[in-house]
């Protein structure tokens, strides 16, 4: 299927690794020009090279910390300078630390809110005028399945990410029809984070090998495995395309059917 993204411009935050990188890769593969963002300069450069190899569009890396307002404004400005506008915005961010409620303090909550919510708020605020000028402006928020069902020992993610869904739904009404807004709610995918966790478990002797550990992550998921990051990326590309032009205000779980929620 041709997603009709050839020549469009996309900004994907926190995209030097993980699901953000998969989203940027999928967009580039469809012919979009993509700005890739990350804090680590070396990892960002590697990601740009890898993503650039899969598509015909231009791929530009812009270093920046999503908890810094000035860095976000610079990120949007560079995207517009490079590509003349923004058609697609994908917001992603790393997860806050795990832990139970009584193990957190005020600073943990403020930091989680700044990372997950204010990064999205500030990026949208800066990008929205450019998205409105596009013929097919879209925003996709990468959050977590924890907004549907709370996950043990992830109180910060369970609580704070809900605000991103409230933002996404509100924007789907305030900015339409010029801009569509949706969210994806990923379950476990084979990102570098999970790879590290499995390898650590193997080193501890919890599993005999990596394959056994990875299979354990898929336990309880109806499709009997965890996701490939590109499966998430492909969904983001679809939501960013004219092929999904009647999809707006949706929070789409991408977790192999693991969730038990009816809605």
């Amino acid at each position: 299927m041709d997603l009709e993204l050839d020549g469009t411009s996309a900004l994907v935050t926190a995209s030097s690794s993980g699901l953000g990188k998969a989203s940027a890769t999928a967009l580039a593969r469809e012919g979009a020009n993509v700005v890739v963002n990350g804090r680590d300069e070396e990892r960002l450069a590697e990601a740009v090279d890898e993503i650039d190899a899969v598509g015909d569009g231009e791929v530009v890396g812009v270093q920046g910390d999503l908890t810094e307002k000035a860095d976000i404004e610079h990120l949007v400005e560079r995207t517009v300078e490079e590509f003349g506008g923004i058609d697609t915005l994908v917001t992603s961010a790393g997860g806050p630390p795990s832990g139970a409620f009584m193990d957190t303090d005020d600073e943990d909550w403020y930091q989680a809110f700044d990372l997950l919510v204010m990064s999205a708020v500030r990026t949208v605020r800066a990008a929205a005028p450019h998205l409105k000028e596009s013929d097919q402006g879209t925003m996709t928020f990468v959050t977590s399945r924890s907004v549907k069902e709370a996950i043990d020992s992830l109180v910060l993610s369970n609580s704070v990410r809900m605000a991103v869904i409230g933002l996404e739904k509100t924007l789907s009404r305030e900015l339409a029809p010029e801009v569509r807004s949706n969210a994806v709610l990923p379950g476990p995918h084979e990102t570098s984070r999970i790879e590290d966790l499995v390898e650590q478990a193997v080193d501890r002797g919890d599993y005999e090998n990596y394959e056994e550990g990875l299979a354990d992550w898929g336990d309880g998921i109806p499709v009997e495995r965890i996701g490939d990051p590109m499966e998430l990326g492909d969904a983001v590309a679809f939501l960013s395309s004219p092929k999904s032009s009647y999809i707006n205000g949706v929070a789409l779980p991408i977790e192999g059917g693991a969730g038990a929620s009816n809605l």
Side-chain angles (χ1 to χ4, degrees), residues 69-91:
K69 180 181 178 182
D71 284 9
I72 291 174
E73 292 174 346
H74 173 68
L75 180 59
V76 172
E77 290 170 1
R78 276 290 307 279
T79 306
V80 175
E81 289 173 4
E82 293 287 344
F83 304 142
I86 305 176
D87 301 301
T88 298
L89 172 64
V90 181
T91 69

Side-chain angles (χ1 to χ4, degrees), residues 24-44:
T25 301
L27 290 164
R29 193 170 58 191
E30 292 295 328
N33 301 311
V34 183
V35 162
V36 180
N37 158 251
R39 288 181 297 178
D40 184 276
E41 187 173 359
E42 182 176 348
R43 186 164 63 180
L44 177 61

Side-chain angles (χ1 to χ4, degrees), residues 5-247:
L5 291 173
D6 191 53
T8 61
S9 60
L11 165 58
V12 186
T13 65
S15 48
S16 61
S17 64
L19 299 178
K21 181 180 177 182
S23 300
T25 301
L27 290 164
R29 193 170 58 191
E30 292 295 328
N33 301 311
V34 183
V35 162
V36 180
N37 158 251
R39 288 181 297 178
D40 184 276
E41 187 173 359
E42 182 176 348
R43 186 164 63 180
L44 177 61
E46 292 175 356
V48 168
D49 288 342
E50 292 175 18
I51 296 170
D52 189 46
V54 304
D56 296 327
E58 185 177 358
V59 181
V60 177
V62 180
Q63 188 177 15
D65 185 339
L66 294 178
T67 63
E68 297 291 336
K69 180 181 178 182
D71 284 9
I72 291 174
E73 292 174 346
H74 173 68
L75 180 59
V76 172
E77 290 170 1
R78 276 290 307 279
T79 306
V80 175
E81 289 173 4
E82 293 287 344
F83 304 142
I86 305 176
D87 301 301
T88 298
L89 172 64
V90 181
T91 69
S92 178
S98 61
F101 173 74
M102 295 303 293
D103 295 329
T104 63
D105 57 23
D106 285 2
E107 188 62 25
D108 293 326
W109 286 88
Y110 284 121
Q111 288 178 353
F113 189 80
D114 212 28
L115 174 65
L116 298 177
V117 181
M118 291 311 299
S119 65
V121 167
R122 290 166 176 156
T123 306
V124 170
R125 183 183 292 138
H130 306 288
L131 290 165
K132 287 182 178 180
E133 293 176 357
S134 169
D135 293 333
Q136 54 185 59
T138 65
M139 294 187 291
T140 305
F141 299 82
V142 181
T143 59
S144 169
R145 69 185 180 98
S146 66
V147 305
K148 283 278 192 180
E149 294 182 312
I151 301 173
D152 290 346
S153 299
L154 289 181
V155 65
L156 294 173
S157 182
N158 294 339
S159 305
V160 177
R161 288 187 190 275
M162 292 290 291
V164 178
I165 297 303
L167 172 65
E168 171 261 327
K169 190 64 175 180
T170 301
L171 292 172
S172 75
R173 300 178 68 84
E174 289 189 358
L175 299 185
E178 292 84 3
V179 182
R180 292 186 296 111
S181 303
N182 293 292
V184 290
L185 319 181
H189 287 70
E190 195 177 358
T191 61
S192 58
R193 171 62 174 162
I194 285 186
E195 289 172 356
D196 289 344
L197 291 174
V198 172
E199 288 170 357
Q200 291 168 16
V202 172
D203 291 341
R204 290 195 305 267
D206 297 345
Y207 306 110
E208 290 188 4
N209 51 53
Y210 179 84
E211 290 70 24
E212 180 184 342
L214 194 65
D216 193 41
W217 272 88
D219 187 39
I221 299 176
V223 299
E224 299 182 345
R225 62 177 178 84
I226 68 171
D228 182 318
M230 287 308 302
E231 293 174 306
L232 183 286
D234 288 340
V236 169
F238 173 72
L239 290 173
S240 303
S241 78
K243 297 295 185 182
S244 65
S245 59
Y246 202 54
I247 300 176

